[in-house]
Amino acid sequence: MINSSTESSLRKVLGSFRREEYVTLLKQWGSFPADRLSDVEKATSMKRTAKKALVQHVIQLCSVKNLSKHAVGELELIYQQNHPNSRKWSVFQLTEQAETKEKHHVTTMEEFKERLNKQLSLYFRNDLCIRRHRDAWWIRLGIQEGTQFHRQTASNVVYMVHPPQSQFIILSTIKVSHKDCVMQALLNSLRCSEIREIQLTGRNLDSLASLALNSNSQGWFSQFRLNQVDTNPLAKRPSRKRKAPSSEILDSDIVFENEKEKELRDKQVLHSFGSNEQPKLQKIEYKLETKFRGCEFAPAMSLNKEPFRCRVKFEGTNVLEGIRQLAKTGLVSLPLPHHLGNVHSLAKNHFVLADKKRTRPPEQN
């Protein structure tokens, strides 16, 4: 039979499933009896069956196996792999050890798990699950606090995603009290000299990974990364007629009186953002520490020599796409400043804007 604490954890995980994904996720799990999947499929097809009753039915079918806490953790990891956007993620960059010139990505997933488990055990008891999913290593770290192992709250669970051939690792929210220990364990396991947060956060994991891994091929250059161009851009070729840009108006209340100006604007937007869908960032934040430039409207501010500090925040389901649409409709001035028009290539969405410090030339005697 299933342990009571394990059953409670399993019930919580199963309660997160959508009705139509029970069979698929349980099949990926591998710890559920294959001959009972048909019973689950039949139960999920009965629309009148309450979610609570469905979960209880699956738990009863699981009782034929002595499930461990680790097995439930693996099921939770599988659920997270299928719902990556349910959490907030932060991107960290790894720096290799220069003195040994040892590449951290040469290790296998099994070796990495063994190293990481050994390092984490120096700080706290833990339950470590790791699976490969879409060419990346997915790690679920459950940290024990207290005297009993079943005391593993949601805040003590950390998810990590590491493409093994890259210098980036993406982490879910982690407790401040655990952060230093986990970072040191990752450094020793991946044999790196430094791990630092690159101020790139959000909920869309695929977009964050794309912004970090492909920072040099965003915007207009994304067409080459996505193999949408079948010729060498540097090779000489005869010019051919281009299709006229679409004259579709996104807002029916907007009337374009100057078509030439609109064509120029469309060209500038295409050059900055390209024609592909933009990576999804839910927030872009700027902290300004610059000289106040509105003295003609507020003359008294000219007497203040201290930097003018304020915070500007853009929020939405897809901020980069929103900025592009504002530029297309002429609601912002073009060309966009560098910190707005090149966000997709900076691999950051938190910025500090400050005035450049001018250095005086050395005095000649």
Side-chain angles (χ1 to χ4, degrees):
M1 298 292 291
I2 304 178
N3 180 280
S4 59
S5 63
T6 306
E7 180 179 342
S8 176
S9 300
L10 179 61
R11 188 183 303 276
K12 184 177 180 180
V13 177
L14 292 173
S16 303
F17 289 9
R18 293 198 296 262
R19 183 181 294 268
E20 62 273 11
E21 63 184 4
Y22 270 86
V23 176
T24 303
L25 298 186
L26 291 175
K27 189 183 295 183
Q28 294 177 18
W29 188 24
S31 296
F32 189 83
D35 57 341
R36 299 300 183 97
L37 286 172
S38 57
D39 295 342
V40 178
E41 187 173 9
K42 182 178 178 181
T44 54
S45 63
M46 299 173 64
K47 301 299 183 182
R48 294 183 179 180
T49 305
K51 183 71 169 292
K52 187 176 181 179
L54 178 59
V55 170
Q56 183 61 35
H57 180 62
V58 174
I59 290 177
Q60 290 175 351
L61 295 177
C62 286
S63 298
V64 298
K65 282 181 174 265
N66 185 21
L67 284 180
S68 63
K69 195 81 172 179
H70 180 76
V72 178
E74 288 186 331
L75 181 61
E76 191 173 7
L77 178 58
I78 291 171
Y79 172 80
Q80 195 62 55
Q81 289 173 341
N82 287 269
H83 299 275
N85 300 343
S86 61
R87 292 182 177 270
K88 182 180 178 181
W89 302 91
S90 300
V91 184
F92 293 78
Q93 187 171 15
L94 305 164
T95 303
E96 297 167 353
Q97 294 178 350
E99 61 275 9
T100 60
K101 295 183 180 180
E102 184 174 13
K103 300 289 186 181
H104 70 269
H105 58 254
V106 298
T107 180
T108 64
M109 187 174 70
E110 291 73 20
E111 290 173 339
F112 172 64
K113 181 179 180 181
E114 184 178 351
R115 290 180 193 169
L116 184 58
N117 192 27
K118 183 178 179 180
Q119 292 293 325
L120 290 168
S121 299
L122 299 175
Y123 304 105
F124 31 62
R125 291 184 61 186
N126 65 89
D127 178 46
L128 189 65
C129 304
I130 180 169
R131 294 173 62 94
R132 182 181 290 273
H133 179 67
R134 294 171 59 184
D135 298 325
W137 297 346
W138 283 68
I139 304 105
R140 177 192 180 273
L141 170 61
I143 299 173
Q144 175 196 354
E145 283 189 331
T147 57
Q148 298 182 2
F149 188 67
H150 70 268
R151 290 182 182 175
Q152 195 179 100
T153 60
S155 61
N156 289 346
V157 176
V158 183
Y159 292 92
M160 297 173 265
V161 182
H162 174 53
Q165 301 298 325
S166 77
Q167 57 179 341
F168 297 99
I169 186 166
I170 307 174
L171 275 70
S172 65
T173 304
I174 181 172
K175 270 187 176 181
V176 176
S177 58
H178 298 155
K179 189 172 182 179
D180 289 342
C181 299
V182 173
M183 292 299 153
Q184 189 60 51
L186 286 171
L187 278 178
N188 296 337
S189 302
L190 293 169
R191 296 176 179 172
C192 298
S193 61
E194 183 186 9
I195 179 170
R196 64 181 182 87
E197 190 171 358
I198 62 172
Q199 301 300 315
L200 179 59
T201 63
R203 289 190 174 274
N204 193 291
L205 183 65
D206 290 339
S207 293
L208 294 178
S210 177
L211 288 168
L213 296 171
N214 306 305
S215 59
N216 294 326
S217 57
Q218 295 291 341
W220 186 80
F221 294 99
S222 63
Q223 60 183 327
F224 301 105
R225 172 169 52 87
L226 300 174
N227 294 323
Q228 296 172 336
V229 178
D230 55 0
T231 57
N232 185 343
L234 301 179
K236 293 184 178 180
R237 59 186 184 275
S239 60
R240 55 184 178 183
K241 293 183 179 180
R242 296 182 179 180
K243 293 182 179 180
S246 173
S247 59
E248 178 184 2
I249 299 177
L250 301 177
D251 191 334
S252 58
D253 294 331
I254 299 177
V255 178
F256 297 104
E257 298 181 349
N258 192 329
E259 287 296 329
K260 289 186 178 181
E261 181 182 336
K262 178 181 179 300
E263 289 179 6
L264 177 60
R265 185 166 58 249
D266 289 344
K267 186 177 180 179
Q268 290 175 319
V269 173
L270 181 64
H271 179 73
S272 296
F273 295 95
S275 57
N276 293 301
E277 182 181 0
Q278 301 302 298
K280 294 180 180 179
L281 288 175
Q282 288 74 44
K283 179 173 70 174
I284 297 178
E285 184 177 29
Y286 297 94
K287 292 182 179 178
L288 275 67
E289 298 180 0
T290 63
K291 183 175 66 174
F292 185 74
R293 291 177 169 81
C295 297
E296 58 179 307
F297 303 104
M301 292 294 293
S302 62
L303 303 177
N304 189 0
K305 302 301 181 182
E306 293 295 322
F308 179 74
R309 292 179 173 87
C310 70
R311 180 176 297 183
V312 179
K313 187 185 298 184
F314 299 89
E315 290 184 314
T317 55
N318 190 339
V319 177
L320 287 177
E321 185 63 34
I323 294 174
R324 179 168 75 166
Q325 295 303 330
L326 286 174
K328 286 188 67 175
T329 53
L331 297 177
V332 294
S333 301
L334 292 175
L336 292 171
H338 184 270
H339 60 271
L340 274 178
N342 294 278
V343 172
H344 47 58
S345 299
L346 300 175
K348 292 173 63 176
N349 61 338
H350 297 266
F351 303 89
V352 176
L353 302 181
D355 290 324
K356 291 183 179 180
K357 294 182 179 180
R358 297 183 178 180
T359 59
R360 293 182 178 179
E363 295 182 0
Q364 297 180 356
N365 295 328

